[in-house]
Amino acid sequence: MYCPFCRHPDSRVIDSRTAEDGAAIRRRRSCPACGRRFTTQETVILMVAKRSGVTEPFNRDKIIRGVQRACQGRPVTEDQLAILAQRVEDAIRSRGSGEVPSHEVGLAILGPLRELDEVAYLRFASVYRGFESLADFEEEIAGLRRERARDRGWVAGDTEGSRPAPGTGASPPPPAEQPPPAAKELPDNREPADRERAGTR
Ligand SMILES: [Zn+2]
């Protein structure tokens, strides 16, 4: 590697140590020509295997570009996108494999994107998972609502009256498939019980 100061084509390693929890090696180098010192870093290049069989280096900018399209017109900042791409990379690298299939990269985007913006998430998921009908959207939205109900109401215990309180801890919480407390969203002329009876399945 060339000396970054004088372009001398050789350098001497004077120290070498692992960094980033063993995911990288840093070398302190000295230039024999100008005597200045600099540091280099060596990491595994994470490769993404595309469906065609071609592999290419993982590229955070590519993640950002892919998500940006789904975020058009949404209140999502460049910084948030950069953090999302970082999270995706961290998640993939933490699996300890030097190569991942491209669809796993897509999967790793879904979670952080859902936390960031639900509309952008739906757009991205609709393309990525190949939604073909309104029913696909409805199913995904129902899933988002369930997540929300789980995140808010249940844990915080602030859903009053819409279902029995969990008690003193003796009774287990209801199954996750149960619809969220959605009484307010029902038409006025229908009782929650009617809707449940008329519901799918
Ligand atoms: Zn030099």
Side-chain angles (χ1 to χ4, degrees):
M1 173 172 275
Y2 281 30
C3 166
F5 303 105
C6 73
R7 309 293 293 166
H8 186 72
D10 197 15
S11 63
R12 194 164 52 88
V13 175
I14 52 177
D15 186 34
S16 185
R17 60 184 62 183
T18 58
E20 294 172 20
D21 285 335
I25 288 181
R26 286 202 187 123
R27 293 202 169 89
R28 193 80 181 129
R29 293 169 181 268
S30 167
C31 172
C34 72
R36 295 174 87 168
R37 294 182 171 186
F38 55 98
T39 304
T40 56
Q41 176 162 309
E42 183 180 307
T43 53
V44 170
I45 295 181
L46 181 60
M47 298 299 283
V48 177
K50 300 177 22 164
R51 242 158 274 185
S52 60
V54 176
T55 59
E56 59 180 28
F58 177 89
N59 184 338
R60 240 185 269 171
D61 290 337
K62 214 174 162 185
I63 302 284
I64 292 175
R65 283 199 299 275
V67 174
Q68 236 163 9
R69 234 171 297 153
C71 289
Q72 267 175 19
R74 301 297 303 165
V76 175
T77 66
E78 298 280 314
D79 282 352
Q80 285 174 316
L81 286 178
I83 291 168
L84 179 141
Q86 175 74 61
R87 284 182 66 187
V88 170
E89 180 171 356
D90 289 348
I92 290 170
R93 280 193 186 275
S94 71
R95 291 173 204 171
S97 168
E99 185 176 312
V100 287
S102 56
H103 72 264
E104 280 189 25
V105 177
L107 275 179
I109 291 173
L110 289 174
L113 184 56
R114 191 176 59 204
E115 284 174 31
L116 195 58
D117 188 279
E118 287 176 338
V119 172
Y121 164 80
L122 270 180
R123 289 174 179 162
F124 187 87
S126 72
V127 175
Y128 175 72
R129 291 192 172 145
F131 287 7
E132 286 174 347
S133 66
L134 282 179
D136 290 334
F137 280 93
E138 282 167 349
E139 204 174 300
E140 196 65 44
I141 290 167
L144 283 174
R145 290 222 164 101
R146 278 196 298 272
E147 295 275 329
R148 265 199 208 172
R150 208 173 303 156
D151 290 350
R152 295 180 191 170
W154 200 250
V155 178
D158 61 359
T159 48
E160 288 178 13
S162 51
R163 56 178 155 189
T168 54
S171 56
E177 298 82 22
Q178 195 165 330
K184 278 176 238 124
E185 293 165 24
L186 291 173
D188 289 335
N189 58 348
R190 285 175 93 194
E191 293 299 315
D194 292 329
R195 171 155 164 167
E196 265 170 34
R197 243 176 270 130
T200 53
R201 180 168 27 163

mmCIF file of all heavy atoms in Angstrom, residues 5 9 24 26 62 82 90 93 95 107 114-115 133 157 182 184 194 197:
data_model
loop_
_atom_site.group_PDB
_atom_site.id
_atom_site.type_symbol
_atom_site.label_atom_id
_atom_site.label_comp_id
_atom_site.label_asym_id
_atom_site.label_seq_id
_atom_site.Cartn_x
_atom_site.Cartn_y
_atom_site.Cartn_z
ATOM 1 N N PHE A 5 1.159 9.904 2.451
ATOM 2 C CA PHE A 5 1.765 11.241 2.521
ATOM 3 C C PHE A 5 2.706 11.493 1.345
ATOM 4 O O PHE A 5 2.661 12.538 0.713
ATOM 5 C CB PHE A 5 2.517 11.400 3.849
ATOM 6 C CG PHE A 5 1.634 11.178 5.047
ATOM 7 C CD1 PHE A 5 1.714 10.010 5.789
ATOM 8 C CD2 PHE A 5 0.705 12.137 5.421
ATOM 9 C CE1 PHE A 5 0.891 9.806 6.880
ATOM 10 C CE2 PHE A 5 -0.123 11.932 6.511
ATOM 11 C CZ PHE A 5 -0.030 10.761 7.240
ATOM 12 N N PRO A 9 5.915 3.456 -2.340
ATOM 13 C CA PRO A 9 5.148 2.225 -2.583
ATOM 14 C C PRO A 9 5.315 1.140 -1.519
ATOM 15 O O PRO A 9 4.828 0.024 -1.710
ATOM 16 C CB PRO A 9 5.678 1.752 -3.936
ATOM 17 C CG PRO A 9 7.040 2.305 -4.041
ATOM 18 C CD PRO A 9 7.040 3.603 -3.274
ATOM 19 N N ALA A 24 -12.260 -6.965 12.579
ATOM 20 C CA ALA A 24 -11.298 -6.208 11.777
ATOM 21 C C ALA A 24 -9.914 -6.294 12.392
ATOM 22 O O ALA A 24 -9.766 -6.584 13.582
ATOM 23 C CB ALA A 24 -11.733 -4.748 11.682
ATOM 24 N N ARG A 26 -6.407 -3.890 12.613
ATOM 25 C CA ARG A 26 -5.807 -2.592 12.320
ATOM 26 C C ARG A 26 -4.296 -2.717 12.389
ATOM 27 O O ARG A 26 -3.767 -3.367 13.284
ATOM 28 C CB ARG A 26 -6.283 -1.544 13.311
ATOM 29 C CG ARG A 26 -7.698 -1.151 13.023
ATOM 30 C CD ARG A 26 -8.078 0.195 13.576
ATOM 31 N NE ARG A 26 -9.516 0.337 13.360
ATOM 32 C CZ ARG A 26 -10.404 0.567 14.322
ATOM 33 N NH1 ARG A 26 -9.999 0.749 15.558
ATOM 34 N NH2 ARG A 26 -11.685 0.648 14.044
ATOM 35 N N LYS A 62 -26.560 1.041 -1.504
ATOM 36 C CA LYS A 62 -27.586 0.356 -2.274
ATOM 37 C C LYS A 62 -28.833 0.111 -1.414
ATOM 38 O O LYS A 62 -29.963 0.212 -1.892
ATOM 39 C CB LYS A 62 -27.022 -0.980 -2.778
ATOM 40 C CG LYS A 62 -27.560 -1.345 -4.125
ATOM 41 C CD LYS A 62 -26.890 -2.572 -4.673
ATOM 42 C CE LYS A 62 -27.763 -3.132 -5.787
ATOM 43 N NZ LYS A 62 -27.253 -4.391 -6.315
ATOM 44 N N ALA A 82 -29.453 6.368 6.901
ATOM 45 C CA ALA A 82 -28.080 5.906 7.113
ATOM 46 C C ALA A 82 -28.021 4.954 8.305
ATOM 47 O O ALA A 82 -27.340 3.928 8.270
ATOM 48 C CB ALA A 82 -27.154 7.101 7.332
ATOM 49 N N ASP A 90 -25.110 -4.427 10.277
ATOM 50 C CA ASP A 90 -24.738 -5.044 11.553
ATOM 51 C C ASP A 90 -25.448 -6.388 11.737
ATOM 52 O O ASP A 90 -24.845 -7.367 12.177
ATOM 53 C CB ASP A 90 -25.076 -4.117 12.724
ATOM 54 C CG ASP A 90 -24.151 -2.904 12.776
ATOM 55 O OD1 ASP A 90 -23.126 -2.914 12.060
ATOM 56 O OD2 ASP A 90 -24.460 -1.949 13.505
ATOM 57 N N ARG A 93 -23.875 -8.919 9.360
ATOM 58 C CA ARG A 93 -22.513 -9.283 9.762
ATOM 59 C C ARG A 93 -22.499 -10.131 11.026
ATOM 60 O O ARG A 93 -21.642 -10.987 11.201
ATOM 61 C CB ARG A 93 -21.675 -8.018 10.000
ATOM 62 C CG ARG A 93 -21.150 -7.408 8.727
ATOM 63 C CD ARG A 93 -20.079 -6.376 9.018
ATOM 64 N NE ARG A 93 -19.673 -5.682 7.806
ATOM 65 C CZ ARG A 93 -18.750 -6.139 6.954
ATOM 66 N NH1 ARG A 93 -18.144 -7.280 7.189
ATOM 67 N NH2 ARG A 93 -18.450 -5.463 5.872
ATOM 68 N N ARG A 95 -24.209 -12.444 11.796
ATOM 69 C CA ARG A 95 -24.418 -13.873 11.529
ATOM 70 C C ARG A 95 -23.105 -14.581 11.255
ATOM 71 O O ARG A 95 -23.056 -15.805 11.165
ATOM 72 C CB ARG A 95 -25.351 -14.055 10.335
ATOM 73 C CG ARG A 95 -26.752 -13.608 10.673
ATOM 74 C CD ARG A 95 -27.633 -13.623 9.459
ATOM 75 N NE ARG A 95 -28.736 -12.695 9.637
ATOM 76 C CZ ARG A 95 -29.580 -12.354 8.685
ATOM 77 N NH1 ARG A 95 -29.436 -12.843 7.487
ATOM 78 N NH2 ARG A 95 -30.543 -11.511 8.935
ATOM 79 N N LEU A 107 -34.927 -9.164 3.822
ATOM 80 C CA LEU A 107 -35.595 -9.505 5.081
ATOM 81 C C LEU A 107 -35.072 -8.658 6.232
ATOM 82 O O LEU A 107 -35.833 -8.214 7.089
ATOM 83 C CB LEU A 107 -35.363 -10.981 5.412
ATOM 84 C CG LEU A 107 -36.302 -12.005 4.794
ATOM 85 C CD1 LEU A 107 -35.903 -13.410 5.229
ATOM 86 C CD2 LEU A 107 -37.744 -11.724 5.199
ATOM 87 N N ARG A 114 -39.961 -1.000 9.398
ATOM 88 C CA ARG A 114 -41.274 -0.945 10.037
ATOM 89 C C ARG A 114 -41.234 -0.025 11.252
ATOM 90 O O ARG A 114 -42.166 0.718 11.510
ATOM 91 C CB ARG A 114 -41.714 -2.348 10.439
ATOM 92 C CG ARG A 114 -43.165 -2.411 10.868
ATOM 93 C CD ARG A 114 -43.579 -3.820 11.157
ATOM 94 N NE ARG A 114 -42.757 -4.393 12.199
ATOM 95 C CZ ARG A 114 -42.554 -5.694 12.364
ATOM 96 N NH1 ARG A 114 -43.098 -6.553 11.553
ATOM 97 N NH2 ARG A 114 -41.801 -6.128 13.338
ATOM 98 N N GLU A 115 -40.122 -0.065 11.977
ATOM 99 C CA GLU A 115 -39.990 0.832 13.128
ATOM 100 C C GLU A 115 -39.890 2.281 12.693
ATOM 101 O O GLU A 115 -40.343 3.187 13.395
ATOM 102 C CB GLU A 115 -38.729 0.476 13.926
ATOM 103 C CG GLU A 115 -38.885 -0.765 14.777
ATOM 104 C CD GLU A 115 -37.553 -1.136 15.435
ATOM 105 O OE1 GLU A 115 -36.754 -0.230 15.718
ATOM 106 O OE2 GLU A 115 -37.329 -2.340 15.639
ATOM 107 N N SER A 133 -52.673 -8.405 -4.385
ATOM 108 C CA SER A 133 -54.072 -8.002 -4.236
ATOM 109 C C SER A 133 -54.239 -7.163 -2.982
ATOM 110 O O SER A 133 -53.345 -7.082 -2.148
ATOM 111 C CB SER A 133 -54.958 -9.243 -4.132
ATOM 112 O OG SER A 133 -54.662 -9.920 -2.928
ATOM 113 N N GLY A 157 -50.783 -1.662 29.819
ATOM 114 C CA GLY A 157 -51.978 -1.919 30.605
ATOM 115 C C GLY A 157 -52.953 -0.756 30.610
ATOM 116 O O GLY A 157 -53.672 -0.555 31.572
ATOM 117 N N ALA A 182 -60.317 -3.090 19.216
ATOM 118 C CA ALA A 182 -60.591 -2.201 18.091
ATOM 119 C C ALA A 182 -62.026 -1.714 18.098
ATOM 120 O O ALA A 182 -62.584 -1.374 17.083
ATOM 121 C CB ALA A 182 -60.305 -2.933 16.780
ATOM 122 N N LYS A 184 -63.434 0.937 18.838
ATOM 123 C CA LYS A 184 -63.673 2.279 18.310
ATOM 124 C C LYS A 184 -63.717 2.293 16.791
ATOM 125 O O LYS A 184 -64.331 3.140 16.185
ATOM 126 C CB LYS A 184 -62.567 3.222 18.792
ATOM 127 C CG LYS A 184 -62.807 3.742 20.179
ATOM 128 C CD LYS A 184 -61.636 4.591 20.628
ATOM 129 C CE LYS A 184 -61.037 4.025 21.898
ATOM 130 N NZ LYS A 184 -59.630 3.738 21.785
ATOM 131 N N ASP A 194 -70.662 -9.291 17.327
ATOM 132 C CA ASP A 194 -71.169 -9.625 15.994
ATOM 133 C C ASP A 194 -70.012 -9.792 15.018
ATOM 134 O O ASP A 194 -69.974 -10.710 14.219
ATOM 135 C CB ASP A 194 -72.091 -8.519 15.487
ATOM 136 C CG ASP A 194 -73.369 -8.473 16.295
ATOM 137 O OD1 ASP A 194 -73.803 -9.555 16.776
ATOM 138 O OD2 ASP A 194 -73.914 -7.377 16.454
ATOM 139 N N ARG A 197 -68.183 -12.929 15.430
ATOM 140 C CA ARG A 197 -68.893 -14.097 14.921
ATOM 141 C C ARG A 197 -68.840 -14.128 13.397
ATOM 142 O O ARG A 197 -68.706 -15.158 12.789
ATOM 143 C CB ARG A 197 -70.357 -14.044 15.388
ATOM 144 C CG ARG A 197 -70.722 -15.201 16.305
ATOM 145 C CD ARG A 197 -72.122 -15.048 16.812
ATOM 146 N NE ARG A 197 -72.190 -14.297 18.070
ATOM 147 C CZ ARG A 197 -72.996 -13.271 18.271
ATOM 148 N NH1 ARG A 197 -73.803 -12.859 17.320
ATOM 149 N NH2 ARG A 197 -73.003 -12.665 19.422
#
